[in-house]
Amino acid sequence: MSTGTSPTEAVPDARPAASPRLPGPLRVGLARGWMEVREFAREWESVVFTFTLPSLVLLLFGVIFDGAFDADMPAVDFYLPGLIAMGLMSVSFQTLGVGIAVERDRGGLRRLRGTPMPPTAYFLGKTVLVLFLALAQLVLLMGVAALVHGAAMPRDAAAWATMAWVFLLGTVACAMLGTAASSLARNARTASGIVVVPFLVLQFISGIFVPIMVLPGWVVDVASLFPLKWMAQGMRAAFYPDQMRVLEPSGGWDLPMVALALGAWCVVGLVLTLATFRWKTRKDG
């Protein structure tokens, strides 16, 4: 009688079951981005404030200032490029600067960091949110300007291309700076003051509300240190007739300088984000 194990007898597998394969950062980031968009849409106060203010200012300026100054163009055409730049900075710098600070203060970032989600997926999700909001802001402002006031759009393919790269570089630069600025706030209550106050000052010194040609030279020099002035100048190059370039402080659109300044701010914003971003509040350690 044999006591050995038959070759055909089933042997239990003692090896541990393999862990399910987690989706990659790209897939997780895109899914999180869609979730961020839906969460933003549920907060109707944020939706109204973010999208209504630039369009309301455009409508008011188009009525109040039409024919009030000698710019050889309707007031809505004059203010539209600057208000587009302002709207893009609002949905990127302001939205992320305040929103991330609130998430950090409520412990949302600390809980996310404890999950298997890759950190890059979080930032990819924020990128999807900002690009979605920026595109919606652009379409809304151009739609209101064209349908209500019959505003002029970019004149040719080159002008549309200029608008596209200024849109992309400006939005990315402001999104990076907003993410970095969120780490300056000690809590959610102080985030609005840290983000909104400098943003409001930049709107007045960057040629958004006050025409760039009437600003003192030293004010324009200060504004040139920040991205909003270059975003507005690039948008004016896309929307204004070419002869309007003489109204710029340098007498030209200076598009290479616009690209260089916005590209530099993308790099600076990335470095600041990597150096300052925190998943926890200071009191959490």
Side-chain angles (χ1 to χ4, degrees), residues 35 44-45 51 54 83 93 129 139 142 150 161 173 178 181 215 222 231 245 249 261 268 275-276:
M35 187 191 72
W44 65 268
E45 299 94 339
F51 291 109
L83 289 174
F93 177 77
L129 171 66
V139 171
M142 292 177 66
L215 290 172
V222 173
M231 293 167 66
R245 66 171 63 200
V268 171
T276 64

Side-chain angles (χ1 to χ4, degrees), residues 168-194:
L168 187 60
L169 282 180
T171 303
V172 171
C174 292
M176 294 285 185
L177 292 174
T179 305
S182 72
S183 296
L184 297 175
R186 288 183 299 174
N187 51 54
R189 293 189 300 275
T190 62
S192 294
I194 289 175

Side-chain angles (χ1 to χ4, degrees), residues 61 78-79 203-216 236:
F61 281 10
F78 187 82
Y79 282 107
Q203 292 172 47
F204 279 96
I205 69 174
S206 301
I208 306 301
F209 298 142
V210 182
I212 193 77
M213 72 284 270
V214 303
L215 290 172
R236 287 195 293 271

Side-chain angles (χ1 to χ4, degrees), residues 196-243:
V196 174
V197 171
F199 178 38
L200 184 61
V201 173
L202 286 178
Q203 292 172 47
F204 279 96
I205 69 174
S206 301
I208 306 301
F209 298 142
V210 182
I212 193 77
M213 72 284 270
V214 303
L215 290 172
W218 68 269
V219 173
V220 176
D221 291 340
V222 173
S224 299
L225 299 176
F226 301 96
L228 184 58
K229 183 261 184 186
W230 300 106
M231 293 167 66
Q233 183 170 324
M235 286 297 175
R236 287 195 293 271
F239 282 83
Y240 282 6
D242 196 50
Q243 62 269 23

Side-chain angles (χ1 to χ4, degrees), residues 16 25 32 49 80 87 102 107 134 137 167-168 171 225 231 234 255 266 271-272 285:
R32 179 160 184 83
F49 179 78
L80 177 60
V102 171
Q137 185 76 277
F167 166 89
L168 187 60
T171 303
L225 299 176
M231 293 167 66
L255 289 179
C266 289
V271 171
L272 290 176

Side-chain angles (χ1 to χ4, degrees), residues 41-231:
R42 289 194 190 103
E43 298 177 357
W44 65 268
E45 299 94 339
S46 298
V47 174
V48 171
F49 179 78
T50 301
F51 291 109
T52 299
L53 183 59
S55 296
L56 182 60
V57 172
L58 179 65
L59 289 173
L60 291 175
F61 281 10
V63 174
I64 296 172
F65 295 121
D66 198 25
F69 50 85
D70 185 18
D72 200 24
M73 62 167 45
V76 67
D77 288 357
F78 187 82
Y79 282 107
L80 177 60
L83 289 174
I84 288 176
M86 184 195 83
L88 296 180
M89 190 166 185
S90 172
V91 300
S92 52
F93 177 77
Q94 183 170 305
T95 297
L96 291 189
V98 176
I100 293 177
V102 171
E103 287 180 339
R104 183 183 294 115
D105 192 47
R106 293 176 178 172
L109 294 188
R110 180 160 46 89
R111 289 192 293 272
L112 279 176
R113 194 68 182 98
T115 68
M117 184 187 76
T120 51
Y122 173 78
F123 295 106
L124 180 57
K126 291 297 184 188
T127 302
V128 171
L129 171 66
V130 167
L131 290 178
F132 180 87
L133 297 181
L135 187 59
Q137 185 76 277
L138 177 68
V139 171
L140 178 62
L141 274 168
M142 292 177 66
V144 169
L147 296 177
V148 178
H149 291 285
M153 296 291 113
R155 55 195 175 280
D156 52 29
W160 281 100
T162 298
M163 185 193 73
W165 66 256
V166 173
F167 166 89
L168 187 60
L169 282 180
T171 303
V172 171
C174 292
M176 294 285 185
L177 292 174
T179 305
S182 72
S183 296
L184 297 175
R186 288 183 299 174
N187 51 54
R189 293 189 300 275
T190 62
S192 294
I194 289 175
V195 172
V196 174
V197 171
F199 178 38
L200 184 61
V201 173
L202 286 178
Q203 292 172 47
F204 279 96
I205 69 174
S206 301
I208 306 301
F209 298 142
V210 182
I212 193 77
M213 72 284 270
V214 303
L215 290 172
W218 68 269
V219 173
V220 176
D221 291 340
V222 173
S224 299
L225 299 176
F226 301 96
L228 184 58
K229 183 261 184 186
W230 300 106
M231 293 167 66

